[in-house]
Amino acid sequence: MNLKPLKQTGRLATIALTGLFVFSCKKDTPKPEPEPEPVERTEAQLIKDDIYKYYKLYSLWDKSIPDYTSDPAQFTDKYGSADLVLDALKKMTPAHAVYSSGVLDRFSYMLGLDGYNTGATASGRLKMDSNDGYGIYVQLGTEDGKTAQPIIYFVEGGSPAQKAGLKRSDFITAVNGDSDYSIAVTCTNTGCTINDASARDKMMNKLNTALDAGTLKLQVKHQDGTTATEDLTYANGYTINPIYKDEVYTYNGSSVGYLALSSFEEISSSATNKKNMDDAFTKFQNSNIKSLIVDLRYNGGGYVESSAYVADKIAGTIGADKRLMLTYDVNDYIKNDAKLSKEFANTYFSGSSGLNLTKVYFLVSEGTASAAEMLINVLKPHLTVQVIASGTRTYGKPVGFFEEVIRNKVSFWPVSFMLRNSKGVSEYWDGLTPDKSNVDDYVFVDFGDKKETMLATALNDALPGITAKAALSTVSSKSRRSISQGQVNTRPERGMFKRR
């Protein structure tokens, strides 16, 4: 038998089987598909990513935020705008049922720069060191208990209105030639009500529109009965003068100072603000005042450093021993960052004035916030303090922030620190509790007038007999009343800033 063909046939079969095996293996382990090209994220997506990143880095409540730092898109792509991302982050902070949001962070915010839209209309806030507009704030008041008109309750220093001579207690009787600025009210011993809410709304809308326009002609009636007409031009970025009144009252050989502050503007880099503040305290020191009344009722905050500067001036000689003023609570990232942590070092008094006060009075409202509340809180361990309020509390904001500019499109302010006084006191989320509450904010006289009820309350405690006791019951004895439903525009809460 010839075995050669069989051997050849066997070899061929073996080769065929081997080929089949190799082919089968190739089917079982296909060649890997190439990695997909990375999809480039849009500017809007990157801004959302950065909102998440900086909130996670800087937030006082960073431990409440899940960690997506390696891939923020996992979190941010769930939301259609930067505003919605921030809203979702804030909702993750600890619960606080008293706030309408239900959580502690009702303060972090962002603003689009140069018209950039973050996804929703930004709430209006005062700019640092400057403001826009005419600088007048208006509510409704009645002189006869039958008809109410707009009355100016505050004029900001440095504003067009202040430069034109308008002042608190001026009734607005006509706007741009339109004198239809009064509505009917019904007043009783317990207060006044507006007869026609639609008439109020119509009048308020007209006035708000006028206050947003480029020019404004106001006719006002002063409390002495004289009238004046002022032509104003809308200002884009007037420089704020935060001291709107400083006065000394003397009675029976004793003196009391009065300092009214609308906000805490920059002092360290503003020679004007520093000089004005120093001059006011020099006057108090030269007058040998023993008590000081600080009017913060319309003060929504400002710079931490400026509030600390005022606190040091008020403490006077008490601060000469360099005692502790305040400390900061910050997250671990800020604590461990060598540069950032230095900015949150403890602050100490330095004894920058020669005052030796026995008592400090603070006039406050529910709009007194942030750096204004800080001033009260840091002085309480060191001086006798009395808080006199037009309501039952202050605003309630013991926390602050610094700015992070994102891609030159968004100004982002995540809450990053909480302030404590030297006793460790803070967390007054529902406001500071006053010693005297529900003292009428009597808008029918100007600031500094001894008949102004909140000032009179402090003066009569500091200098008994300086004003007639009847001044404290002025409101109940006359028909002049403020209308609680009649505030046209309000002073915004400014915040508690640190400059980086």
Side-chain angles (χ1 to χ4, degrees), residues 185-359:
V185 295
T186 299
C187 295
T188 65
N189 289 337
T190 58
C192 298
T193 58
I194 294 169
N195 295 353
D196 184 351
S198 64
R200 174 201 61 196
D201 293 344
K202 180 181 177 182
M203 183 174 71
M204 287 182 172
N205 289 338
K206 279 200 308 179
L207 185 52
N208 276 323
T209 298
L211 291 174
D212 286 335
T215 59
L216 180 66
K217 181 188 287 288
L218 284 185
Q219 179 180 295
V220 299
K221 183 178 74 170
H222 303 308
Q223 288 301 319
D224 63 4
T226 61
T227 61
T229 300
E230 302 294 341
D231 290 298
L232 307 176
T233 300
Y234 190 99
N236 289 295
Y238 63 82
T239 300
I240 296 170
N241 179 358
I243 301 176
Y244 58 93
K245 197 77 174 182
D246 61 284
E247 190 67 73
V248 174
Y249 305 90
T250 301
Y251 184 73
N252 283 343
S254 297
S255 296
V256 171
Y258 173 66
L259 180 67
L261 298 173
S262 65
S263 53
F264 291 96
E265 306 303 328
E266 182 67 272
I267 285 181
S268 60
S269 64
S270 171
T272 299
N273 285 343
K274 184 177 184 301
K275 181 180 185 305
N276 290 343
M277 193 67 70
D278 290 347
D279 286 349
F281 278 93
T282 296
K283 178 165 74 174
F284 296 151
Q285 186 172 323
N286 291 342
S287 300
N288 197 30
I289 67 169
K290 294 304 178 186
S291 299
L292 176 64
I293 302 166
V294 186
D295 197 335
L296 302 174
R297 74 185 86 177
Y298 302 133
N299 191 315
Y303 290 95
V304 172
E305 291 78 8
S306 298
S307 182
Y309 188 87
V310 175
D312 197 39
K313 289 286 188 183
I314 294 173
T317 56
I318 289 174
D321 60 359
K322 315 299 183 187
R323 65 181 65 180
L324 180 65
M325 180 191 295
L326 63 90
T327 63
Y328 294 89
D329 285 359
V330 294
N331 69 22
D332 290 341
Y333 175 81
I334 293 176
K335 283 181 187 175
N336 296 324
D337 184 284
K339 182 178 178 183
L340 273 177
S341 61
K342 289 180 181 178
E343 298 177 20
F344 296 94
N346 294 347
T347 301
Y348 297 86
F349 290 100
S350 67
S352 62
S353 83
L355 291 182
N356 186 14
L357 300 177
T358 57
K359 196 169 186 178

Side-chain angles (χ1 to χ4, degrees), residues 54-65 89 92-94 104-105 107-108 327-335 344 397-402 413-420 426-427 429 496:
Y54 287 116
Y55 196 89
K56 180 64 176 172
L57 280 179
Y58 298 144
S59 173
L60 186 64
W61 302 286
D62 65 316
K63 288 183 172 60
S64 299
I65 308 303
L89 292 167
M92 294 176 179
T93 60
L104 282 180
D105 193 358
F107 308 112
S108 296
T327 63
Y328 294 89
D329 285 359
V330 294
N331 69 22
D332 290 341
Y333 175 81
I334 293 176
K335 283 181 187 175
F344 296 94
K397 187 181 178 186
V399 291
F401 33 45
F402 52 81
W413 298 84
V415 168
S416 303
F417 60 88
M418 180 162 62
L419 289 171
R420 296 185 183 275
S426 187
E427 303 192 53
W429 301 107
M496 191 150 59

Side-chain angles (χ1 to χ4, degrees), residues 89-140:
L89 292 167
K90 290 162 67 174
K91 287 178 179 177
M92 294 176 179
T93 60
H96 189 66
V98 177
Y99 287 176
S100 58
S101 62
V103 293
L104 282 180
D105 193 358
R106 60 171 177 167
F107 308 112
S108 296
Y109 77 103
M110 71 179 77
L111 292 174
L113 299 175
D114 299 323
Y116 182 81
N117 183 8
T118 61
T121 302
S123 58
R125 292 175 183 260
L126 280 173
K127 296 187 294 186
M128 293 180 289
D129 308 309
S130 64
N131 196 8
D132 298 331
Y134 298 103
I136 55 175
Y137 296 86
V138 183
Q139 65 181 69
L140 294 180

Side-chain angles (χ1 to χ4, degrees), residues 138-163:
V138 183
Q139 65 181 69
L140 294 180
T142 179
E143 289 187 291
D144 59 7
K146 299 176 180 179
T147 302
Q149 290 176 290
I151 185 171
I152 297 172
Y153 70 85
F154 179 73
V155 177
E156 189 162 58
S159 68
Q162 185 263 327
K163 291 177 181 177

